[in-house]
Amino acid sequence: MGDTLATLDTVDFECKAPMEDDESPISPRRYLKEQDYLHESSASGWQTDVDIDGGSRSVSDISMAELWDATSDYEKVLSTLKEFSHSAQSIAQKPDVLARLKELNKFLAEDQEEPELKAKSVGACLYFLSSNKDFKHPDIVASPKGTVICQWRKDKHRNLTIEFLPDWSLHFVVFSPTSSETIRVSGRCSMDVFRKAIEPYQTERWTSVNAGR
Amino acid sequence: MQGDEIPDSDHVSRYCKPRSISLSTGRPTGASFMLRENEAFLSINWLEELNQTSRESEINELRQVFKNKPFQVATTGVFAVINVGRTKSSVVEGAPDSTVLKFIHEPEDDDPSHSGIFGFTHEENLIAELIADSVIETHDARQR
């Protein structure tokens, strides 16, 4: 049995079937062609220019799908996304999210036993962090499956861990103290309902940028 | 001996790869204790089985054993040490279905102290987090 919640305030968020069993190695370009979630308006503050159809245009003028089409250069794409992440203030804190993702990609690539970092998981992580700006900068690690995991852990009793699965669902674990015990739950849900799913556990007490450090 | 259950009073070590180590604390995370999809158990080493006189010499012995592994131990990897009994208790108390882990000796030709943690699956991230919380000490996987 998976570790979906079985006790206490039971939550079972096995609500989204995998779209496909495709865990291809990192290829953000392909991913974002499929899901244009990261399209941002000029309000996002992007500064980078990209060569589209022979002419240079500001990233703020194009969709992410176009961006991935414009270049297969992973470094350039990461560099561009870095501009994006810096515009999202909540994840612009050091150590930089993208630098860490790049480091994890390197760790996995250097180890023949390990899979490559999953592009869809990276995309889901970036999207989550850029659209949940009230979260502190997380610890970011990688699973043995090549998926990205973000963790906000204050101590043994305060832990929110999210694994970003390639189908864009989230596998979360919460340890949250009450006055009498520590509630420990896990579950899987889509990104859309995640905030609702963890709401009862008041994780913002240690994950929020407004929480005491 | 193959199949022996490791006593609760003993200790085991898990080699934790850099991808799974917290950048902010330097400690292993739950990702250090997650199974791959095709793994039946989590590989560990039974420290008392190494017959050394101190933790330091046990870890040094492990470093030698890992030199013969098919993968290279990373400079930033660590050996995490957990106590068998305390980890089992932590998981029984903390996992929703009171999972009972088993620590079993699984010796290999070139790794006689090799053992495994049985009783959970690659999808049980909560248990991996509980095991990570049970880490009592860490040591550099490569001597600096």
Side-chain angles (χ1 to χ4, degrees):
Chain A
M1 185 182 117
D3 51 357
T4 47
L5 178 64
T7 60
L8 301 169
D9 300 321
T10 298
V11 185
D12 186 353
F13 294 105
E14 298 280 3
C15 56
K16 189 177 178 187
M19 291 187 296
E20 55 180 310
D21 185 23
D22 177 4
E23 298 193 356
S24 53
I26 192 156
S27 174
R29 183 178 68 84
R30 178 165 170 265
Y31 173 67
L32 286 159
K33 278 182 72 176
E34 293 168 7
Q35 298 203 39
D36 193 9
Y37 284 111
L38 286 175
H39 176 83
E40 287 286 320
S41 70
S42 56
S44 66
W46 289 359
Q47 301 296 319
T48 308
D49 288 343
V50 173
D51 187 26
I52 303 279
D53 299 331
S56 184
R57 289 161 58 192
S58 164
V59 172
S60 60
D61 296 332
I62 65 171
S63 72
M64 285 301 295
E66 279 186 284
L67 172 65
W68 297 117
D69 277 343
T71 176
S72 58
D73 184 341
Y74 178 60
E75 295 297 320
K76 191 172 181 181
V77 167
L78 274 186
S79 168
T80 304
L81 277 171
K82 190 171 181 177
E83 295 293 327
F84 166 63
S85 75
H86 277 294
S87 72
Q89 292 184 356
S90 62
I91 59 169
Q93 303 160 25
K94 292 181 180 179
D96 183 82
V97 169
L98 294 167
R100 177 60 172 165
L101 289 170
K102 190 175 170 185
E103 183 180 48
L104 292 173
N105 194 42
K106 178 172 166 278
F107 286 150
L108 294 173
E110 285 173 349
D111 189 335
Q112 293 188 340
E113 275 208 326
E114 299 277 33
E116 292 179 281
L117 202 57
K118 300 289 186 289
K120 292 183 177 182
S121 178
V122 171
C125 171
L126 289 171
Y127 180 74
F128 177 89
L129 292 176
S130 60
S131 49
N132 290 276
K133 297 175 182 174
D134 53 325
F135 276 75
K136 288 179 183 174
H137 181 91
D139 256 320
I140 306 177
V141 294
S143 78
K145 291 177 277 186
T147 51
V148 178
I149 295 174
C150 287
Q151 182 172 68
W152 295 262
R153 181 186 183 278
K154 189 170 183 183
D155 53 44
K156 279 185 166 188
H157 305 282
R158 295 169 183 81
N159 180 357
L160 171 63
T161 299
I162 305 172
E163 179 184 8
F164 295 90
L165 300 174
D167 66 359
W168 269 45
S169 64
L170 309 180
H171 187 173
F172 63 87
V173 174
V174 177
F175 294 177
S176 178
T178 66
S179 56
S180 57
E181 63 182 320
T182 297
I183 296 174
R184 296 182 182 86
V185 299
S186 71
R188 189 175 291 193
C189 66
S190 70
M191 214 176 289
D192 293 343
V193 302
F194 171 73
R195 297 297 290 256
K196 193 77 179 168
I198 64 161
E199 191 178 339
Y201 311 111
Q202 300 176 305
T203 58
E204 65 279 3
R205 288 178 292 172
W206 68 93
T207 63
S208 168
V209 290
N210 299 316
R213 292 194 178 256
Chain B
M1 206 172 86
Q2 167 86 36
D4 281 353
E5 193 155 351
I6 302 175
D8 284 357
S9 56
D10 283 4
H11 299 81
V12 298
S13 171
R14 164 81 175 164
Y15 169 59
C16 305
K17 298 187 174 190
R19 62 156 174 79
S20 68
I21 295 172
S22 160
L23 205 56
S24 63
T25 66
R27 283 178 59 88
T29 65
S32 305
F33 300 92
M34 287 178 180
L35 289 166
R36 293 190 176 87
E37 289 176 57
N38 57 353
E39 282 181 322
F41 61 87
L42 190 75
S43 279
I44 50 172
N45 285 85
W46 182 3
L47 293 180
E48 281 77 4
E49 180 68 11
L50 292 165
N51 293 316
Q52 300 294 310
T53 54
S54 67
R55 180 58 44 75
E56 191 180 340
S57 55
E58 287 170 350
I59 297 299
N60 276 333
E61 186 69 17
L62 262 191
R63 289 183 181 124
Q64 293 304 314
V65 169
F66 272 70
K67 279 184 179 172
N68 298 321
K69 295 281 184 184
F71 57 89
Q72 200 174 15
V73 170
T75 48
T76 51
V78 301
F79 289 119
V81 177
I82 58 176
N83 171 261
V84 172
R86 271 192 273 171
T87 305
K88 286 161 74 174
S89 298
S90 170
V91 172
V92 165
E93 290 163 15
D97 53 358
S98 300
T99 300
V100 178
L101 297 180
K102 284 195 171 183
F103 291 65
I104 307 287
H105 192 202
E106 294 282 340
E108 296 174 347
D109 289 343
D110 56 354
D111 188 358
S113 71
H114 183 259
S115 304
I117 303 179
F118 292 76
F120 71 117
T121 72
H122 71 276
E123 292 185 314
E124 293 179 290
N125 293 2
L126 190 150
I127 291 175
E129 290 296 330
L130 288 168
I131 299 173
D133 278 346
S134 301
V135 170
I136 52 178
E137 55 190 78
T138 59
H139 301 266
D140 293 334
R142 278 199 205 175
Q143 200 148 29
R144 293 177 197 242

